[in-house]
Amino acid sequence: MTTHDGALAVTPDLREPRTSAGRALLGLLAGHLPTVRDGAGRADRAGVFPAEVFAGLRADGVLGATVPVELGGLGVGSLHDVCLALTTVAEADASTALALHMQLSRGLTFAHEWRHGGGPARALAERLLRGMGAGEAVVCTTVKDAGGGRVVTRLRPAPGGGWVLSGRKTLASMAPIATDFVVSARVEVAGVERSAAAVLPRTAPGLRVLDDWDGLGMRASGSVDIVLEDCPVRAEDVFLRGPVGERSDAALAGQTVSSITMLGIYVGVAQAARDLVVAELGRRGGLPAAGAATRTLLTEIEARLYALRTTVAGTLTVADHLAYAFDADPAERGRRMMLDFQRAKLTVNRLAPEIVSDCLSVVGGAAYSGTHPLGRHYRDVRAGAFMHPFTYPDAVDWLSETVLEGTKD
């Protein structure tokens, strides 16, 4: 896919913003990147969340970037530009980019609820967006139940009205600084088991944010567990969804918007690894000193990185169009968005680790150290395979089913 600039045909490669709001976001981020980069190694080694970095981002309005202008934010609505922002941050530190994704993606999804949702959902989304736009709300979304799914987080009716929430969530990135949590749960309504998302403040009775993250990679993302013990939730602070287990292809559009920009994180890690290798080869004497094997590896790195960047940028171009194509059939729109997303995600999850691995081979044994930046990149880049939707087994099931359904008589 190309865009035209005068007499030139330009292949999208996730390098330039496409909107003025996206350009403004990159401008705000630029001043923070040196601090992010300088502290990345120390935070990774210690496994600590860079709270001071996020305090700066919050003060400069970065955490309200995807909030509509009318509600106090920058109004970045382009998925491409959000992805580019995450790519840029990930080149400095993937953990920071992953945590930032939590806030930016919530702005995108809440903005959709605010513009197109029903009464209670619209009002709840507006309240959260105004808090984010004002720099007051830092929103962490928790989806995965702890214990491999054996612990199911549930809402129960409270005696005096509203709800009570109990359960335990894991991999809640950015939780150490969150002021509010959006917690995926199950709830029974009129005899039907439904999905829901409960919103509650950090100060809610019974809510505990643990300090238990010790990941192989993304060590500074603050992806801790959240314990919920009979937390009170107001009736108006719950997004009700459809029946549990019900297939809704229309809902795939929202899942795509919420998660597709994460692809930029792994593009950023691959780019950082490539740039580190090029700088290292320059110190070693550049082209004259590079042997045939090194040149071959470097060529493969360049080709894969090109494929990575153009695949993601092209997919985001289509996603940006379909995200606002509300006149299309909702189910078909959702399937198309998720199909493109999953094909791109599998491509990213294959190519990005290959790039970083080849970079490790070029640098050699010096990079096989916990203190070397390539060691961090090597661990961080593998997190992409575990990100929903979908993990690899679920992606295989969904993609193969979707493709083969089209071959039925």
Side-chain angles (χ1 to χ4, degrees):
M1 177 178 296
T2 59
T3 57
H4 295 280
D5 179 13
L8 299 176
V10 182
T11 302
D13 64 354
L14 205 62
R15 293 186 186 277
E16 296 294 331
R18 295 180 177 171
T19 66
S20 58
R23 191 168 294 106
L25 172 57
L26 287 176
L28 290 177
L29 285 170
H32 296 273
L33 294 178
T35 301
V36 173
R37 188 176 293 107
D38 290 346
R42 293 190 300 274
D44 174 77
R45 293 289 289 172
V48 297
F49 185 82
E52 69 287 349
V53 167
F54 278 82
L57 296 175
R58 190 176 184 178
D60 278 356
V62 171
L63 300 191
T66 52
V67 174
V69 173
E70 304 95 306
L71 302 181
L74 282 180
V76 183
S78 164
L79 297 172
H80 175 278
D81 287 357
V82 173
C83 187
L84 175 58
L86 294 175
T87 298
T88 303
V89 175
E91 290 180 31
D93 179 39
S95 289
T96 300
L98 180 61
L100 180 60
H101 159 76
M102 286 289 178
Q103 181 82 348
L104 298 184
S105 66
R106 289 294 67 76
L108 291 170
T109 55
F110 288 157
H112 183 273
E113 291 276 7
W114 176 64
R115 290 192 172 100
H116 308 287
R122 187 178 192 276
L124 178 53
E126 179 172 340
R127 175 167 65 80
L128 290 165
L129 286 167
R130 288 192 182 279
M132 293 167 70
E136 298 167 357
V138 179
V139 183
C140 173
T141 300
T142 65
V143 175
K144 189 174 179 61
D145 285 321
R150 294 188 299 274
V151 178
V152 178
T153 304
R154 300 193 64 87
L155 281 165
R156 309 187 315 275
W163 305 94
V164 173
L165 181 66
S166 294
R168 180 165 176 156
K169 293 294 186 179
T170 192
L171 299 176
S173 302
M174 199 183 66
I177 63 165
T179 62
D180 296 88
F181 293 87
V182 179
V183 182
S184 296
R186 294 187 178 186
V187 59
E188 186 175 310
V189 179
V192 178
E193 185 91 338
R194 297 177 63 175
S195 299
V199 179
L200 60 165
R202 189 186 191 93
T203 55
L207 187 154
R208 287 187 294 133
V209 179
L210 304 185
D211 183 14
D212 62 345
W213 176 237
D214 188 20
L216 175 67
M218 299 294 189
R219 289 181 48 78
S221 62
S223 301
V224 299
D225 281 15
I226 309 297
V227 177
L228 306 144
E229 298 173 328
D230 294 333
C231 301
V233 181
R234 299 184 305 175
E236 61 268 30
D237 288 348
V238 174
F239 293 103
L240 280 178
R241 308 303 189 196
V244 173
E246 179 182 76
R247 175 168 174 166
S248 172
D249 285 347
L252 296 174
Q255 293 177 37
T256 299
V257 169
S258 177
S259 300
I260 194 171
T261 58
M262 267 196 295
L263 297 179
I265 297 172
Y266 306 101
V267 175
V269 175
Q271 182 70 53
R274 176 268 182 199
D275 292 348
L276 189 151
V277 161
V278 170
E280 175 64 22
L281 292 176
R283 286 191 290 271
R284 295 179 182 180
L287 185 62
T294 296
R295 294 188 189 190
T296 300
L297 283 170
L298 186 59
T299 300
E300 291 291 340
I301 290 167
E302 286 297 298
R304 289 190 181 114
L305 187 57
Y306 176 79
L308 191 63
R309 298 191 77 108
T310 55
T311 295
V312 172
T315 302
L316 287 163
T317 298
V318 177
D320 266 326
H321 169 71
L322 291 174
Y324 301 99
F326 299 116
D327 56 341
D329 173 73
E332 178 57 31
R333 170 174 167 262
R335 284 192 297 270
R336 173 66 192 282
M337 291 182 72
M338 185 58 77
L339 182 60
D340 285 355
F341 174 24
Q342 290 306 309
R343 289 186 293 207
K345 186 173 186 291
L346 286 172
T347 300
V348 169
N349 290 345
R350 178 171 298 168
L351 293 183
E354 288 177 355
I355 291 168
V356 178
S357 181
D358 279 354
C359 289
L360 212 67
S361 297
V362 171
V363 173
Y368 198 67
S369 163
T371 59
H372 197 284
L374 273 179
R376 171 163 51 89
H377 298 330
Y378 188 78
R379 289 179 283 106
D380 287 347
V381 79
R382 277 162 168 72
F386 305 104
M387 298 296 173
H388 287 277
F390 300 110
T391 61
Y392 182 77
D394 291 338
V396 168
D397 288 345
W398 189 86
L399 265 174
S400 59
E401 178 184 341
T402 301
V403 171
L404 290 174
E405 277 183 347
T407 66
K408 293 179 181 178
D409 293 334

